[in-house]
Amino acid sequence: MDIKITKTTTPKAKPTGKLGFGKVFTDHMFIMNYTEGKGWHDARIEPYHPISLDPSAMVFHYGQEMFEGLKAYSGADGTVRLFRPEMNAKRTNETNKRLCIPQLPEEDFVEAVKAIVSVDKDWIPKEDGTSLYIRPFIIATDEFLGVAPSKTYLFIIILSPSGAYYESGLAPVGIWIEDDYVRAVKGGMGFAKTGGNYAASLIAQVKAHDDGYSQVLWLDGVERKYIEEVGAMNIFFKIDGKVVTPMLNGSILPGITRNSVIQVCKSWGYEVEERKISVDELLDAQKNGKLEECFGTGTAAVISPVGKLRYKDDVMTINNNEIGPLSQKLYDTITGLQWGKIEDTFGFVVKVD
Ligand SMILES: *Cc1c(COP(=O)(O)O)cnc(C)c1O
């Protein structure tokens, strides 16, 4: 892929103080067009700028879009690292297939990510726990109100320096098990990383927040009995010494952190089960003192310990509302690989020049 690079002549001031998440963007962006018959073309890096679209552009009406999320980490050794970007490239194409968006060569995805991160390398924050959040996305741009797959698209990558997810150690969160609304069903697009899934989830998120819970845990869309995943995280339990997580069934997002946690746990000799988990099983395990730990996994937080799970009138408190030893060890290990503090025996890390 040939990437034309135009650098800004008016670089912005870098943020100072607390970074937060997703509000500050770097000096440049990657853009590439797709046109039916021509394929993906005109890969370029340009100064960060607003995009102009016709109000009839399809993405505004029928939601044909996808996104990804990954991070670049600045190591203590000065090396910039990505975490398994080829998995994001692969997942992009799985999402694209479901949404009738054209396939994007996986090596081009990784090359584009590396190129834009390299151009804006100075924007990667260096303080402990910070990173550069990378947001690739594709939108349908045909000017047409008919319902059909678009014939033109834009693939864009923007970057946002982000602060440490945990300001003062890994604090357990309270989670609301949603028994009314559902996020996805088998045959739907739950496995795809697309805005529509998030639009469908907001109402339950608001409800959970109003009740003092920070996230929603979704149940299966048919029986509302089996655990699926949290808002933007997959979910794990340690039950009676075993690591257990819902199996990928088409309505769960196949998280890269999830996949990595499974590999790391297995390498430590844990038995890992990917299977159906009912709420009743959790309530039983809790009653019998066997629900040892619960944590969410995702790129943003890496590991998010869960201290409280609410289901209807039951509130399960897990591990005294404190972070468990496995959650802590997984966090230390995966972030250790990302920041280059631990030797990468898994082959997870990709360096950026
Ligand atoms: C992105 C995402 C995850 C986590 O995936 P990672 O690849 O680990 O960041 C989990 N659930 C949903 C719905 C997501 O969108």
Side-chain angles (χ1 to χ4, degrees), residues 83-257:
F83 190 72
R84 313 185 74 187
E86 70 288 350
M87 296 275 287
N88 298 92
K90 228 172 102 194
R91 190 167 64 190
T92 291
N93 278 336
E94 273 145 29
T95 298
N96 286 4
K97 203 159 125 199
R98 180 63 180 81
L99 284 144
C100 295
I101 296 171
Q103 296 285 291
L104 180 67
E106 285 163 26
E107 57 284 5
D108 289 355
F109 177 100
V110 175
E111 194 185 332
V113 167
K114 283 183 172 173
I116 184 68
V117 168
S118 182
V119 165
D120 275 338
K121 209 179 340 204
D122 291 351
W123 282 85
I124 310 177
K126 295 194 170 55
E127 296 73 40
D128 242 15
T130 61
S131 58
L132 184 70
Y133 186 76
I134 305 165
R135 167 55 56 86
F137 63 103
I138 301 174
I139 52 174
T141 54
D142 271 14
E143 298 168 7
F144 179 45
L145 294 183
V147 179
S150 181
K151 294 177 168 66
T152 59
Y153 299 85
L154 281 176
F155 172 49
I156 299 176
I157 306 174
I158 55 175
L159 307 173
S160 177
S162 65
Y165 196 88
Y166 298 106
E167 304 263 300
S168 47
L170 277 74
V173 294
I175 285 193
W176 170 284
I177 304 181
E178 174 60 41
D179 56 289
D180 183 12
Y181 298 110
V182 298
R183 171 185 174 272
V185 289
K186 234 168 261 171
M189 54 185 194
F191 68 90
K193 219 163 166 77
T194 183
N197 287 331
Y198 280 79
S201 76
L202 296 174
I203 192 165
Q205 182 72 32
V206 169
K207 191 167 86 174
H209 270 206
D210 287 349
D211 256 65
Y213 289 83
S214 71
Q215 305 254 3
V216 171
L217 178 59
W218 298 101
L219 297 179
D220 75 280
V222 178
E223 295 181 73
R224 289 177 216 187
K225 209 168 129 184
Y226 298 100
I227 303 292
E228 297 240 305
E229 64 169 308
V230 189
M233 291 192 290
N234 295 109
I235 190 93
F236 283 77
F237 303 93
K238 186 161 165 268
I239 303 173
D240 201 16
K242 283 183 199 162
V243 177
V244 190
T245 191
M247 63 190 185
L248 300 177
N249 60 356
S251 51
I252 296 174
L253 200 290
I256 294 162
T257 320

